[in-house]
Amino acid sequence: MGGNCWTDTGPYQEDLAAAFRRAQAEELAADDHGFGAGRTAEELWRDPDWQEYILTGGTGSVLDFPLMTDAADPDDGPFLRPLTEAEIRAFAPGGRPTLAEWDAALDDGRLDFPDRARGRCTVLYTDGEPTGIGYWGCTAD
């Protein structure tokens, strides 16, 4: 079986790991996937039933990852990894991708979806200022 690819956006925060946790909290508030309201993503990832749920299907969202790694870390999952500067400049030569540039790069293949059980993120800009974060990934199933 192959994973399902997905995209999402969230508000900008300078601390990308904090923005990731915020995006997870917002996703859980919208849909706890039957695992009980009020639990954090960190709590869910300690639950073997949640791990099985994610690794055999997933949510198609930032909830599919227990943590964010550093951009320079090896690409093994299931983790969310920010793009490196070189990866950003490969699809946005100015280094400050807009939402439209990000969408277009995903659509035309200049920006790849990662392998199964992996995710990516990058800061998105409006008029040269950071305004959002683009998240994308592939479920583990």
Side-chain angles (χ1 to χ4, degrees):
M1 295 179 78
N4 295 312
C5 296
W6 56 270
T7 64
D8 199 3
T9 59
Y12 173 74
Q13 284 183 248
E14 186 174 352
D15 181 339
L16 292 181
F20 167 60
R21 290 291 178 219
R22 177 180 174 181
Q24 287 184 312
E26 289 173 0
E27 185 69 27
L28 275 174
D31 184 356
D32 68 13
H33 299 272
F35 281 84
R39 294 172 72 187
T40 66
E42 293 93 344
E43 291 168 333
L44 287 171
W45 271 99
R46 289 190 290 266
D47 181 339
D49 291 334
W50 176 261
Q51 293 173 24
E52 181 177 349
Y53 177 72
I54 296 300
L55 297 176
T56 59
T59 66
S61 76
V62 291
L63 294 175
D64 290 349
F65 312 108
L67 58 92
M68 176 184 285
T69 62
D70 185 78
D73 284 349
D75 192 26
D76 49 353
F79 303 116
L80 181 74
R81 179 179 67 77
L83 294 183
T84 64
E85 185 69 22
E87 289 171 321
I88 293 168
R89 290 190 180 275
F91 78 94
R96 293 180 178 246
T98 65
L99 175 61
E101 286 176 310
W102 175 68
D103 276 335
L106 286 168
D107 287 345
D108 67 21
R110 287 177 293 132
L111 186 57
D112 291 329
F113 279 87
D115 291 335
R116 292 178 1 191
R118 290 167 179 79
R120 300 285 181 270
C121 68
T122 193
V123 175
L124 302 174
Y125 296 80
T126 303
D127 298 324
E129 297 298 319
T131 54
I133 299 175
Y135 298 99
W136 68 104
C138 193
T139 60
D141 64 332

